[in-house]
Amino acid sequence: MQAYVEYLREARGLTEATVINYTPFVRSFLEDCFGNGRVALSRLCASDVLRFVRLQAPRLHPKSAKLMTSALRSFLRYVSFRGDVALDLAASVPVVPNWSMPAIPRAITPDQTRQLLASINRRSAVGRRDYAILLLLARLGLRSGEVALLELEDIDWTEGSLTVRSNSGVFNELPLLKDVGRAIAAFLRHGRPPSTCRQVFLRSKAPITRFRGASAVGSVVRHSIQRAGIDSPTMGAHQFRHGLASEMLFRGASLGEIGELLGHRHPQTTKIYTKVDIKALRMLVVPWPGGER
């Protein structure tokens, strides 16, 4: 294992995260094949690889299962390169299925969104801040990280537009809807504490500084939902993004329009929302034989 780790770092130049992710899977594979005995790599065969993958894959999340098979292929190529095995066992590692769009997005309903927004106390500074944050999530479908990164210069009050930046540095320009603009303006005038930070939204407790990341926005969402007593699909911020897309689809928006608003770089990402148009799907259902059921 030490020699393999050195190979990954020095010969392959892989990141430390990749090394850390690969190592447990390879160690488990060797323990499964040899137990506490001597590791004799020359005795490995394809059936050992298949048995291990078939045993482990059902227990893992699909992404972890794919990571496991990548780790095994990497290790088996390494031992083949060293001459420890005669066969190309990397080719015997099976492919783990990764079904496209396996789940329906968990979206908050329009009624729940209205109930949540109505529950915010906008007479307080924190309430004005949280209300503006929730509107950005619900009306424009921003990601929590995009809300945290929003700076004062990103708002063009004259043109009525908002420049949104992602963690990867991609920019997307969106219309600044009237209710969203009014909420942000109310917070800036009567809620945002004096600060040299250029981020729009700041912490409410000392030290008064910018949000440290998406988790801070997620915390605002979670606490707001809990205070309102709403039984929403999740406690996270992404459900508003799903809710907006689902509502747009229901009202006749195209997938292209939805993808443009949400800043999707690939059309495949937007296609997942076709699963939530239950009304349209019901029109395709074949009637139950013998009458209604």
Side-chain angles (χ1 to χ4, degrees):
M1 286 302 303
Q2 283 183 328
Y4 172 60
V5 168
E6 290 175 4
Y7 163 78
L8 293 180
R9 287 174 177 156
E10 298 175 10
R12 294 294 310 281
L14 299 183
T15 64
E16 193 63 24
T18 302
V19 174
I20 292 172
N21 285 329
Y22 277 12
T23 303
F25 290 121
V26 174
R27 189 180 300 278
S28 296
F29 172 66
L30 293 176
E31 290 175 350
D32 179 74
C33 293
F34 303 107
N36 295 325
R38 178 176 172 270
V39 174
L41 296 174
S42 59
R43 288 168 39 199
L44 287 176
C45 58
S47 60
D48 296 324
V49 178
L50 289 172
R51 186 189 69 253
F52 178 77
V53 173
R54 288 171 178 169
L55 177 67
Q56 297 296 328
R59 305 174 181 177
L60 300 171
H61 185 278
K63 288 186 178 180
S64 297
K66 289 178 71 66
L67 182 62
M68 173 188 66
T69 55
S70 296
L72 287 179
R73 290 190 191 98
S74 168
F75 176 73
L76 293 171
R77 290 191 192 103
Y78 164 69
V79 294
S80 177
F81 167 75
R82 284 187 12 150
D84 294 319
V85 295
L87 300 175
D88 179 17
L89 294 180
S92 68
V93 179
V95 176
V96 176
N98 185 22
W99 305 113
S100 176
M101 303 183 294
I104 295 177
R106 303 176 71 183
I108 190 170
T109 67
D111 287 341
Q112 288 175 326
T113 300
R114 284 190 288 270
Q115 182 183 347
L116 179 62
L117 291 171
S119 71
I120 304 298
N121 177 19
R122 285 185 276 167
R123 292 186 297 273
S124 69
V126 173
R128 294 188 187 98
R129 182 201 67 181
D130 293 353
Y131 184 75
I133 288 174
L134 291 171
L135 272 183
L136 284 167
L137 297 171
R139 298 282 192 265
L140 295 178
L142 266 60
R143 301 175 179 90
S144 53
E146 293 169 342
V147 174
L149 289 173
L150 193 65
E151 296 185 358
L152 297 171
E153 290 79 10
D154 295 331
I155 306 172
D156 189 330
W157 299 102
T158 303
E159 296 295 329
S161 64
L162 192 71
T163 301
V164 178
R165 72 188 74 194
S166 67
N167 286 322
S168 59
V170 177
F171 291 85
N172 187 28
E173 188 169 303
L174 299 176
L176 183 62
L177 303 180
K178 287 185 178 180
D179 56 348
V180 178
R182 283 195 294 264
I184 295 176
F187 167 64
L188 293 178
R189 289 173 176 168
H190 309 294
R192 188 178 186 272
S195 174
T196 58
C197 288
R198 304 311 296 167
Q199 272 73 18
V200 173
F201 301 107
L202 307 176
R203 286 166 44 92
S204 59
K205 298 180 180 178
I208 304 299
T209 184
R210 64 182 179 87
F211 283 168
R212 294 184 177 177
S215 60
V217 176
S219 179
V220 169
V221 172
R222 183 175 65 256
H223 291 150
S224 299
I225 291 174
Q226 289 173 340
R227 282 195 300 267
I230 295 174
D231 185 19
S232 60
T234 74
M235 287 291 174
H238 223 65
Q239 62 182 320
F240 295 98
R241 188 173 172 85
H242 294 325
L244 175 63
S246 302
E247 183 67 11
M248 289 179 66
L249 187 66
F250 177 76
R251 294 184 180 278
S254 68
L255 292 179
E257 291 169 333
I258 296 171
E260 185 176 358
L261 175 64
L262 299 184
H264 288 163
R265 300 179 65 184
H266 304 288
Q268 187 71 17
T269 308
T270 315
K271 286 184 179 179
I272 191 172
Y273 293 108
T274 58
K275 291 192 171 189
V276 302
D277 194 356
I278 304 301
K279 184 177 180 180
L281 291 175
R282 282 177 179 153
M283 296 173 65
L284 304 177
V285 175
V286 177
W288 186 269
E292 294 185 3
R293 184 68 176 266

